[in-house]
Amino acid sequence: SIGVVFPLLGDVTVVATSAIRWGSAVQEWVTDVREADRFYGKVMAERLVELGANSKRVGIAGLSGGTRTPEGTIWHGHYTAIAEALPDAEIVNATDILQEVRTVKSQEEIDVLQESLDIVEAAYDAEIAAAARPGARDYEVWAAAMNAIFSRGSELSVHFNWIANQTPHRTMTRPQQRVLVDGDIILNELEASIMGYRAQQVRPVAVRTCPQLYVDMLSYHREVYERLLEFMKPGVTLADVVYKTRDLGKEQAPKSGLLAGAGARMVCHGRGLGDDVPLATNNEAVERYGTWQFPENGVFIIKPNVFVDRVNLGWGDSCRITTNGAIRMGNGEHAMIIA
């Protein structure tokens, strides 16, 4: 746990437990590192008093409105310590300010995200090799992917969603005890973490054989995806992207055959130190983030779903926004993988 105080002018202060051991051995960006002994709110408040903030406006990042934390992340004890030490200060929510700063990535941050993504692609290679073995259990294939992630230097813990079945619907679950059989489809989201920076990919894997419907759906997905990336330039709003995805799904859908009546739905969120804005995973995304604009050098996991009847399939890569559109950072083939 780390607390940070940003004055309008002057040096940033970091508040940490075991700060003497933590200090310069870990980072060199901040020189004012203070021991908290787990009383983060108290020591941050002391620094704010030093800065003469009692009669001023103090913004707290994490007070409310986080990407996946609409009720905030700051602990009650931290807030109370600051509020009691600064009774005349105006305390306001500064979550959006920090989120906007985080959205635009420096080249150093992009390089670290690329390292994270390279590890994710190695995990998919391991997953494919493990899934091809007759008699492999679901959790053994999952473990092969996790081993590839951590044996290449990723930190704990990382996010993953995973499900394997003949007709899987959602990835928000965990590996099972079952033996994988021919035709099973493994749907998952995999991440690695380097210095806290997390890239992500979504790449379905079929076990030894694959129904033609899934092969066709990934081809359809690729057609939608490539045109969508061309559209995603700096200044385009999330609402624009959501509606463009729906339109492309209609335009690219076959008029007959297995994919007659197919459609597409946008899913994306920022990549970096966790899930940066915007969070487009449900119908409320446009209401919350609709006017938000994609910035140049932002990095996002762009993973729209395509669907037909009751079958839903996603695929995604971490992408960088440029003036020429969004550019994939991964190298994996945009097609149904058959192990």
Side-chain angles (χ1 to χ4, degrees), residues 53-135:
N54 188 31
S55 60
K56 304 212 170 55
R57 180 180 297 127
V58 176
I60 296 181
L63 199 58
S64 66
T67 308
R68 293 186 187 267
T69 52
E71 294 180 337
T73 58
I74 188 170
W75 291 0
H76 176 72
H78 296 169
Y79 179 85
T80 299
I82 293 171
E84 290 180 350
L86 306 171
D88 297 324
E90 178 187 1
I91 296 179
V92 298
N93 184 26
T95 305
D96 288 347
I97 295 174
L98 191 59
Q99 286 187 149
E100 285 301 312
V101 171
R102 280 171 42 148
T103 300
V104 179
K105 302 299 190 291
S106 67
Q107 187 59 51
E108 182 181 20
E109 291 178 296
I110 292 170
D111 291 344
V112 174
L113 282 166
Q114 184 65 63
E115 183 178 348
S116 172
L117 192 62
D118 292 345
I119 292 175
V120 171
E121 294 204 311
Y124 274 105
D125 290 342
E127 176 187 334
I128 294 163
R133 294 196 303 266

Side-chain angles (χ1 to χ4, degrees), residues 78-252:
H78 296 169
Y79 179 85
T80 299
I82 293 171
E84 290 180 350
L86 306 171
D88 297 324
E90 178 187 1
I91 296 179
V92 298
N93 184 26
T95 305
D96 288 347
I97 295 174
L98 191 59
Q99 286 187 149
E100 285 301 312
V101 171
R102 280 171 42 148
T103 300
V104 179
K105 302 299 190 291
S106 67
Q107 187 59 51
E108 182 181 20
E109 291 178 296
I110 292 170
D111 291 344
V112 174
L113 282 166
Q114 184 65 63
E115 183 178 348
S116 172
L117 192 62
D118 292 345
I119 292 175
V120 171
E121 294 204 311
Y124 274 105
D125 290 342
E127 176 187 334
I128 294 163
R133 294 196 303 266
R137 291 185 180 274
D138 187 23
Y139 65 77
E140 293 172 336
V141 179
W142 167 82
M146 294 297 105
N147 179 67
I149 288 172
F150 297 120
S151 65
R152 286 167 173 77
S154 173
E155 303 141 351
L156 282 170
S157 60
V158 295
H159 161 84
F160 72 91
N161 282 340
W162 184 284
I163 187 171
N165 213 324
Q166 290 286 301
T167 54
H169 296 289
R170 291 290 302 273
T171 60
M172 296 180 68
T173 182
R174 293 295 182 260
Q176 309 164 66
Q177 299 276 349
R178 66 191 296 270
V179 174
L180 297 176
V181 298
D182 290 6
D184 273 352
I185 306 296
I186 304 173
L187 303 181
N188 54 37
E189 300 177 349
L190 294 181
E191 290 182 5
S193 177
I194 300 295
M195 295 173 62
Y197 283 83
R198 300 181 177 196
Q200 185 185 102
Q201 282 189 335
V202 178
R203 295 168 61 190
V205 175
V207 179
R208 292 183 291 277
T209 63
C210 182
Q212 188 62 42
L213 175 62
Y214 285 94
V215 175
D216 293 348
M217 288 184 76
L218 254 294
S219 296
Y220 164 56
H221 190 288
R222 183 176 63 251
E223 294 174 358
V224 172
Y225 198 85
E226 290 175 352
R227 289 162 177 77
L228 181 62
L229 295 194
E230 294 173 357
F231 177 76
M232 294 184 65
K233 297 178 181 179
V236 172
T237 69
L238 179 66
D240 293 334
V241 172
V242 168
Y243 300 140
K244 183 67 172 179
T245 305
R246 295 174 185 173
D247 292 343
L248 286 171
K250 294 177 181 177
E251 293 171 11
Q252 300 300 320

Side-chain angles (χ1 to χ4, degrees), residues 1-6 12-45 60-62 73-75 78-79 82 98 102 155 195-197 273:
S1 298
I2 298 173
V4 182
V5 178
F6 292 96
V12 172
T13 299
V14 164
V15 174
T17 295
S18 301
I20 295 174
R21 287 182 287 134
W22 183 86
S24 59
V26 174
Q27 60 83 42
E28 57 186 16
W29 303 302
V30 179
T31 57
D32 184 6
V33 181
R34 305 191 181 192
E35 177 61 49
D37 194 25
R38 298 184 175 83
F39 287 90
Y40 301 93
K42 173 179 177 292
V43 181
M44 283 190 286
I60 296 181
T73 58
I74 188 170
W75 291 0
H78 296 169
Y79 179 85
I82 293 171
L98 191 59
R102 280 171 42 148
E155 303 141 351
M195 295 173 62
Y197 283 83
L273 292 168

